[in-house]
Every structure is written in C-alpha cells, then in structure tokens.
Amino acid sequence: MCRTKLTSRLLAFILLFFSCSVPLESKSYKNGLVVTAHYLASEVGKEILQKGGNAFDAAVAVQFALAVVYPRAGNIAGGGFAVIRTSGGDYNSLDFRETAPKAAYEQMYCDKDGNVNSDLSQNGDLAVGVPGTVDGMMKLHQKYGRLRWGELLEPAIKLAEEGVVLSLLEANKLNDYHDQIQKQNKGKSLVPYLREGLFREGDTLSNIALARTLSRIKASGRNGFYEGETAGLIVAEMEKHGGIITAEDLQGYQSVWRVPLIGDYRGHKIISMPPPSSGGVALIQLLKGCEMYNMNKYSFGSFEHIHLMVELERRVYADRAAWLGDPDYYQVPVDRLINDEYLENRFATIEMDKKTNSQDIKAGSVELIESFETTHFSIVDSEGNAIAVTTTLNGNYGSKVMVEGGGFFLNNEMDDFSSKPGFPNQFGLVGGEANAIKPGKRMLSSMTPTIVEKNGKLFMVLGSPGGSTIITSVFQNIINKIDFKMDSQQVVDAPRVHSQWLPDEVYAEAEALSPKVKSKLEELGHIIKIQNKIGVMADIFVSDSGEYIGVADTKRHKDSRASGY
Ligand code: GLY
C-alpha cells in the first residue's frame, strides 16, 4: 500500500475514533424495534408492538405521540411521507404532504414590486398549508393496521392529559422560541407552550386542549380533524388572523398512495420517496454518481471522498431546483433524471483536481440555517414489516400559530414552495416553475424516508430531519455502510458534510475535515463553513442473522432513542 493511501486510511480511522461519543456497539433485538427523536415516543411504539400491533400500527401511535412529546416537529397539523416494505416484500409509499389552499396563488408572498416577503411564508397564518397528517395516518391504518384505531390514539391522549416531563433539550427549545410563539398567539388562552418564567428540565407540561382534539380524532377518525369542532377551530383561527384555509380545503384534503422510487446501488435495492419529495430522485442520482466514480476506492474523510460528494451534490441540487415539483401539477421527468446515460453526461464534467463554479447561475446567496425541525422514525416488527416515516411542521413549531382550543401548532409548509423563481427559501433552496405555488398543489420536499434491501432481504431503514440536508445525510449513511463498510454505530456517528449547489458553499461538521483535507479543498476554491450538526438519523440495520440493530443519533440529539425487545 502506498504511503499516501496508508496515511489517509489512518486519518480516516482517527477521525472516526474521535467522532464517536458512545461505545461502538449497538444492541440488537429479535422482535421489533422503534427509533425516534424522543424516548417517550419510542416507548409508545414498542408497547404497541408488544401488544400485538404491527410496524404500521406502531407508526400511527408514534406519529400521534410525537405531536405531544415533541411539538416542534411531531404534529397533527403538518404532513410527511412514509416508505413501506411489507414482510412479503411488497413496497409502497404514502404521501401525506400538505397542499396549498384553494385561495393560494403564485405571487402571494410578493409585494407590488415583486419582492418576496419571507416572513409571510414562514410565520403566521398565511404560511400554513392544508395539513395532511391525520388523513395520512387513517389511510395507513386502513390499509395495513391490525389493532383498533382508537387503541393507537390512547398513548398520545394519556401523555397530553397527564403531562410530559420536559427534557433539557425541549425546555431550552421552548425558551428559545418563546418570543416568536408569543408574537403569533397574542391574546389567546390555553397556550401551554407559553409562560411567564423559563421552562426548565423536569417541568411537567400537560395539554388538555390537545388531549381533547386527539380524543375527537380517536372517536371520528379523519372527521375528528377535517370536520366538526377541530375544523371549526382551524377555520376560526384563519378568519381571525388573516389565513386562507377554508372548511372546504380541510374537507377536500386527501393523502395519496404512490409507487415508491426504486434504484440499485452496488447490489443493494434502494426504496425511497418519489415526488413531491425530491429525496428519492436526488438520493438515487447521488448513488449512481458514486457508482460511476467508484466511491468505494476512496477512504472515508479523504479529499477525494469529500470533493466527489460535493461535486455530485452541486449537480443534483441544480436538477432539483429546475425539475422537481408536485407530479400532479408539473410533468416531473423522473425517469430521465435517474437514467444512466443522462447521469453519465451530467457527471462527466466532474474533475478530481478542479472545483466547478456554481456562482455563474444567478440566485440569492443565503446562510444555511441549522434546521432540525422535521423528524424521522423507523420501525420494524417481528414479522419483518418495515416503515420509514419522515414528518414535519417545516420550521420549529411550524408557523408558530397555535389553534386556540385545539392545543396544536400549524405548519409553515408554504415556504417550501418557490415564492419566486430563483428566490431562496429558509433552507437556501431555489426553485422555479416546477415548484411554483398553485391551489391544491403540494410543495416540493427534501424528506427522504428510505429502505435498503440486500440480496432481497431487509437491510436498512433510515431517514433524517434537516431540510435540504436530509438528502445528503441519508446518502452519507448509505455510503458509510456500503462503501466504507462501517458498523451500525459508526454509520450514524461519522461526521457529515453537505453541499447543495446554491449557495456555492460546503457545510461540514467540525470533525469532518482534517486540516490537510480542508486546505486542499480550499485551494481548489471550495468555501467551507463549519456547521454545528447536520441531520439527526434514526436508523435500523438488519444483521446477516436477521436481528435488528437500532441506532438513534444521540450524538446530535440526546433525546433520540432506539427501543426494541
Ligand atoms: N419542510 C422540509 C421539507 O419537506 O423538505
């Protein structure tokens, strides 16, 4: 082995060693496993499995529990995507993404001079998309569930009634967002997430209004949210505070079963989310690029690994901006975008000793905000059913608007549309016609719930929050496993890097780049920005003997937990 190769292997080992804050071993389970961003939600999912529920029952219970214990991202008034692999080897995906209200229009966030007011698409009632979560959970349960619907709501109702003991993370987050939540909820009563003094770790927080809303959903299914009292509360909120969602919008909302996107990567099958998420297309493009350039011949953390990843990402995110949107409103050329010949041409311009310039493509340059407000959970059961769910309010606490009497936050998903061609959203992502606002249309997403098979067997279930960094976090976990042959804990712990075409910058966690690799990247012109953390993975791995290994990303989010039995 030549000296440089030996040195870079040694460096990779050292980087990995120092990046691991917990022992490099994860517990394995035989019967079922739930990995979520909050220990209480993971326990809820495990208990549903132990009661005889399957992975899909557990997913429904976890989704509702997260709305109580993790209100900044868990939700009943947001949306998301689920990717499914049944024990029989069938695949499916569920799109419960929010939609633009009927009264929405392309220029709704622009003033008369065409300038975008991002505050309107990010905060307050005008930022809210028609929620998809409750309809999505109903459809998931109707098709795959085994336990009674009501049973799946009970743990969340109990948590809301009895109260949740705040973790340090959640207490701090509520304090950080106090002013913003207050601004959007002036004069309202029963806002449990606002108080005079500071929230502290150990405080117990109940939410009786949310318990009542969940009880209505328990009793009446989707009608407990999209009709009757809950719908009335949402419409009253809209009418009072300048929102545009109507009773008709709520009644008309439908989640959609979609054929998942399937690709191959070095003998593995990748099952991921099709549009209106950009996640699956972008992930498959990136993996095909790695195959073309033989990523597996490089060492983890080497200059070649990072440079190649960034150059692939630059091209993939440029495609995202131009071609991805809601397939029911825009002809998204999915087949072409993941076609081998197309990608060979697309990636042919990559040179290992030259940085490509993104700056000649005109678009705003913004700071990437550290955003972890979406949440992901992965579940497997004793029969081998698997589900990967990514769900979101978009921003932390969404639009910050709480429905008075309802006890829940409304999303600010309208910001995921392109408010104006080339104008960046909160994640710095740009878009155009494909993702322009239209009534009833779904906004483009980066959520990438994904399942990987090896030799026809379940191999990985994974996903992450993090806005635009979701795709690259999932991507890096897959190549960490397949190309760099890391063990499960290392896959998740290993430091991450992200780039997205515009802004023309490379974001790296502190331990991701050695001084030597950083200097070499900078010499080529890459602009490096250190990011506190990128993504929060919730991964399940299946060992050769069929045991489940769950890895919660506790290094980046302490409350995450893998609960199995
Ligand atoms: N709201 C973040 C996403 O869907 O990508």
Side-chain angles (χ1 to χ4, degrees):
M1 194 187 290
C2 71
R3 209 168 142 233
T4 34
K5 205 160 183 188
L6 190 68
T7 317
S8 65
R9 289 250 155 100
L10 190 65
L11 180 68
F13 176 78
I14 293 167
L15 275 173
L16 204 55
F17 181 81
F18 284 109
S19 73
C20 296
S21 57
V22 283
L24 297 182
E25 55 180 69
S26 321
K27 266 182 100 172
S28 60
Y29 301 92
K30 286 206 170 85
N31 296 310
L33 184 55
V34 181
V35 189
T36 83
H38 199 288
Y39 43 89
L40 291 173
S42 298
E43 278 303 301
V44 164
K46 186 178 90 174
E47 280 162 21
I48 292 291
L49 293 178
Q50 286 174 319
K51 271 171 87 172
N54 59 21
F56 313 115
D57 290 314
V60 172
V62 165
Q63 174 76 45
F64 287 116
L66 282 168
V68 183
V69 302
Y70 193 55
R72 61 182 153 123
N75 65 82
I76 55 172
F81 301 112
V83 169
I84 287 164
R85 182 188 183 275
T86 66
S87 53
D90 292 333
Y91 315 122
N92 210 342
S93 74
L94 179 62
D95 162 1
F96 54 102
R97 183 71 160 163
E98 300 92 326
T99 55
K102 281 207 162 61
Y105 57 97
E106 216 165 302
Q107 303 288 314
M108 64 187 277
Y109 300 114
C110 296
D111 66 16
K112 60 178 174 22
D113 301 319
N115 301 313
V116 177
N117 181 350
S118 300
D119 188 42
L120 291 179
S121 65
Q122 289 174 16
N123 299 300
D125 294 65
L126 209 53
V128 186
V130 182
T133 295
V134 177
D135 186 75
M137 291 306 103
M138 274 294 285
K139 286 219 170 70
L140 179 61
H141 179 254
Q142 277 165 354
K143 194 169 178 76
Y144 293 107
R146 180 179 299 153
L147 299 186
R148 275 185 309 105
W149 169 254
E151 250 179 289
L152 308 179
L153 270 292
E154 275 157 19
I157 294 170
K158 190 162 181 263
L159 284 162
E161 274 170 355
E162 292 178 1
V164 176
V165 178
L166 283 183
S167 67
L168 182 63
L169 264 181
E170 289 314 301
N172 287 346
K173 201 53 86 173
L174 281 168
N175 293 331
D176 291 348
Y177 279 82
H178 175 273
D179 292 355
Q180 292 187 51
I181 295 173
Q182 190 169 52
K183 189 173 167 201
Q184 299 301 336
N185 295 286
K186 284 199 184 103
K188 289 182 195 167
S189 60
L190 265 185
V191 183
Y193 306 114
L194 282 179
R195 64 157 62 155
E196 284 296 311
L198 288 177
F199 287 99
R200 295 193 192 284
E201 181 183 12
D203 288 351
T204 300
L205 213 63
S206 61
N207 187 341
I208 300 306
L210 180 56
R212 288 198 197 111
T213 301
L214 290 166
S215 299
R216 289 192 290 276
I217 296 169
K218 177 185 169 188
S220 313
R222 68 158 270 144
N223 289 350
F225 184 84
Y226 296 94
E227 313 229 358
E229 189 175 338
T230 316
L233 293 171
I234 297 172
V235 172
E237 165 63 43
M238 292 288 134
E239 286 173 353
K240 211 162 154 191
H241 298 105
I244 54 173
I245 294 178
T246 61
E248 195 190 347
D249 284 319
L250 292 169
Q251 278 159 15
Y253 180 85
Q254 290 295 333
S255 49
V256 182
W257 289 107
R258 298 194 187 272
V259 178
L261 203 61
I262 299 188
D264 290 311
Y265 183 56
R266 299 188 53 220
H268 298 75
K269 191 176 266 188
I270 312 294
I271 304 132
S272 195
M273 196 64 214
S277 180
S278 59
V281 170
L283 177 65
I284 289 169
Q285 286 187 315
L286 288 167
L287 291 172
K288 286 200 174 193
C290 285
E291 199 153 27
M292 228 177 113
Y293 281 91
N294 295 317
M295 179 64 92
N296 59 339
K297 77 180 181 201
Y298 301 121
S299 312
F300 176 81
S302 63
F303 162 78
E304 290 82 0
H305 163 214
I306 307 296
H307 175 74
L308 178 56
M309 247 179 12
V310 169
E311 289 295 315
L312 291 170
E313 287 165 7
R314 203 184 298 286
R315 286 154 180 81
V316 164
Y317 277 81
D319 273 357
R320 181 194 190 278
W323 300 111
L324 273 292
D326 182 347
D328 298 337
Y329 284 73
Y330 183 85
Q331 217 176 340
V332 184
V334 172
D335 292 344
R336 176 157 175 263
L337 288 170
I338 58 171
N339 173 276
D340 288 343
E341 207 179 317
Y342 168 77
L343 289 173
E344 266 163 37
N345 287 326
R346 186 89 179 108
F347 297 144
T349 51
I350 293 177
E351 292 178 53
M352 291 311 281
D353 56 358
K354 207 168 154 206
K355 170 200 178 262
T356 320
N357 218 348
S358 303
Q359 301 300 345
D360 50 358
I361 298 145
K362 202 176 172 309
S365 182
V366 294
E367 284 295 307
L368 187 79
I369 300 165
E370 283 181 27
S371 313
F372 301 94
E373 53 276 36
T374 296
T375 190
H376 176 87
F377 54 94
S378 297
I379 305 181
V380 288
D381 65 24
S382 60
E383 294 154 41
N385 295 302
I387 181 164
V389 181
T390 315
T391 180
T392 188
L393 286 167
N394 198 16
N396 267 312
Y397 309 102
S399 60
K400 324 290 182 282
V401 175
M402 274 211 69
V403 174
E404 192 170 16
F408 56 90
F409 286 102
L410 294 169
N411 69 79
N412 63 342
E413 220 70 61
M414 290 297 284
D415 190 62
D416 270 347
F417 277 117
S418 168
S419 295
K420 185 180 165 180
F423 187 85
N425 71 3
Q426 66 163 324
F427 303 113
L429 291 166
V430 292
E433 173 57 22
N435 191 31
I437 303 172
K438 296 222 174 352
K441 188 176 174 182
R442 286 160 151 84
M443 55 296 285
L444 183 60
S445 172
S446 298
M447 291 188 279
T448 316
T450 298
I451 293 177
V452 182
E453 262 183 16
K454 186 180 175 185
N455 301 327
K457 289 192 185 143
L458 186 64
F459 184 58
M460 283 172 88
V461 186
L462 72 164
S464 175
S468 54
T469 68
I470 294 174
I471 298 166
T472 52
S473 298
V474 171
F475 163 57
Q476 286 171 89
N477 268 226
I478 292 176
I479 61 171
N480 285 353
K481 185 76 195 162
I482 297 176
D483 292 312
F484 302 125
K485 306 203 179 319
M486 294 181 186
D487 76 24
S488 313
Q489 188 73 50
Q490 289 171 327
V491 165
V492 173
D493 281 348
R496 297 183 197 126
V497 173
H498 169 80
S499 191
Q500 58 179 49
W501 177 51
L502 290 174
D504 189 353
E505 288 162 356
V506 177
Y507 304 91
E509 290 182 327
E511 304 133 336
L513 307 177
S514 69
K516 199 170 152 204
V517 168
K518 185 164 178 277
S519 312
K520 198 162 172 197
L521 289 165
E522 282 171 340
E523 266 166 39
L524 287 197
H526 290 291
I527 299 160
I528 313 284
K529 297 224 162 153
I530 298 301
Q531 193 84 5
N532 182 24
K533 54 181 177 180
I534 295 175
V536 176
M537 299 302 301
D539 289 10
I540 293 175
F541 302 83
V542 187
S543 71
D544 290 343
S545 58
E547 293 193 337
Y548 300 136
I549 300 152
V551 185
D553 204 343
T554 46
K555 180 184 158 189
R556 296 174 181 86
H557 183 84
K558 265 202 167 62
D559 291 350
S560 293
R561 196 63 42 89
S563 294
Y565 73 109

